[in-house]
Amino acid sequence: MKQTVKGKGDSMNPFVEKAAKALWEAELNRQPIEPLTQTYESITVEDSYAIQQQVKAWKLDSGRRIIGRKIGLTSQAMQNALGVHEPDFGSLFDDMLLPEGSLVPYERFLQPKVEAELAFIMKHDLQGPAVHFQDVIQATAYVVPAFEIIDSRVRDWKIKIQDTVADNASSGALILGSRGVSVHDVNLRLIGLVLERNGEVIDTAAGAAVLGHPATAVAWLCNKLATFGEGMKAGDIVLSGSFTRAYEVKPGDVYSAHFAGVGTVQVGFGSK
């Protein structure tokens, strides 16, 4: 049965907590739920960020630690597909960081996909608003090749923007390459990617696929976080957005991402 979401300032908290609890239990019990957009017919993106913030608070209370942020929906194609005009973001927690080259248990996830992207490692705190991509360059210690394993607590990936925002931007895990490169030594916009699955090339792209420049995506994040009274801290990991579309993972798959001038990152998935 669909339920109506009450507007801002109109007893929204009971709805937010109920929806947050459903996502929290879906993750704990490894049982996906129906889309929130089906259950709550008037849910807004603002509502969804409130849900995300509530689940984040519970995770922090349980002892988990935020190590950075992820940016999603950085390609025009994905924004068009979900009918939005800007990216979204989620939080990265300490238990999401997996060793490079590791064999990840497939059963750790519900319905995983992989995205190849650059991770920015912050040298200084950075707080919006009015952050420009050049501010990001100056505040970044280095970039490393990364895989984000995205996952959804929503059944069959039947998501709209409200569903993915509420679900921590469909985050799952991340793997960082072992080599870091100064942002001053590479042209982030022109960095080329070759993505392989099981030794075969399946996609190629360049940094310009990420909002025209990966640092532009990070600047957007800083300014968006400012609306929540938050910012980025020195040492934070920031996943700046996928160079390509997300690729579905099957047990036994091995993915490798080769970023020109930056390095390679690899992850494998164990059989069920």
Side-chain angles (χ1 to χ4, degrees):
M1 177 183 295
K2 289 187 176 181
Q3 302 177 36
T4 299
V5 178
K6 295 182 181 293
K8 183 178 180 181
D10 188 18
S11 302
M12 190 172 69
N13 283 346
F15 150 70
V16 168
E17 186 166 349
K18 186 174 181 180
K21 185 179 180 181
L23 285 170
W24 174 251
E25 292 180 344
E27 182 173 345
L28 292 177
N29 300 329
R30 296 190 41 73
Q31 293 293 329
I33 62 174
E34 296 305 313
L36 296 180
T37 47
Q38 289 186 11
T39 306
Y40 304 98
E41 60 182 8
S42 58
I43 185 172
T44 66
V45 172
E46 183 181 50
D47 297 325
S48 295
Y49 275 117
I51 294 166
Q52 182 191 126
Q53 292 285 92
Q54 179 61 73
V55 176
K56 180 180 76 173
W58 289 337
K59 289 180 178 180
L60 292 174
D61 287 344
S62 73
R64 296 168 74 176
R65 180 173 56 89
I66 290 178
I67 58 172
R69 310 282 183 162
K70 64 148 291 182
I71 309 168
L73 305 180
T74 52
S75 73
Q76 192 62 54
M78 285 301 299
Q79 290 183 21
N80 291 343
L82 292 184
V84 296
H85 65 279
E86 68 173 11
D88 68 349
F89 76 90
S91 297
L92 302 173
F93 293 89
D94 53 344
D95 61 341
M96 295 170 63
L97 181 59
L98 305 177
E100 199 274 332
S102 61
L103 189 66
V104 181
Y106 183 87
E107 60 271 13
R108 174 186 173 121
F109 307 99
L110 292 175
Q111 39 197 355
K113 299 181 181 182
V114 295
E115 295 182 339
E117 45 199 279
L118 288 177
F120 286 64
I121 312 300
M122 305 310 297
K123 177 170 56 176
H124 304 302
D125 293 358
L126 195 58
Q127 179 81 42
V131 169
H132 190 262
F133 83 95
Q134 283 291 352
D135 300 317
V136 172
I137 298 298
Q138 296 305 315
T140 300
Y142 54 91
V143 292
V144 294
F147 272 124
E148 182 184 5
I149 303 174
I150 61 172
D151 201 8
S152 181
R153 273 55 66 176
V154 175
R155 194 181 314 279
D156 299 325
W157 281 97
K158 293 181 178 179
I159 59 172
K160 297 181 179 178
I161 181 61
Q162 298 95 321
D163 298 295
T164 188
V165 166
D167 191 23
N168 198 32
S170 302
S171 61
L174 68 151
I175 299 95
L176 302 182
S178 57
R179 177 189 176 195
V181 175
S182 169
V183 289
H184 301 289
D185 293 338
V186 291
N187 186 324
L188 295 172
R189 187 172 184 273
L190 300 182
I191 287 174
L193 163 72
V194 176
L195 180 62
E196 296 180 350
R197 179 177 58 211
N198 303 328
E200 295 185 5
V201 175
I202 58 172
D203 214 336
T204 60
V210 183
L211 290 188
H213 193 296
T216 297
V218 180
W220 171 87
L221 173 62
C222 290
N223 295 325
K224 186 70 173 181
L225 286 173
T227 67
F228 295 89
E230 301 177 10
M232 291 190 295
K233 305 295 185 183
D236 275 357
I237 301 165
V238 183
L239 296 178
S240 58
S242 183
F243 279 41
T244 70
R245 71 175 180 87
Y247 283 87
E248 182 179 352
V249 170
K250 295 180 181 179
D253 280 344
V254 176
Y255 279 86
S256 300
H258 309 278
F259 292 87
V262 179
T264 295
V265 62
Q266 185 177 83
V267 63
F269 296 85
S271 301
K272 285 187 176 180

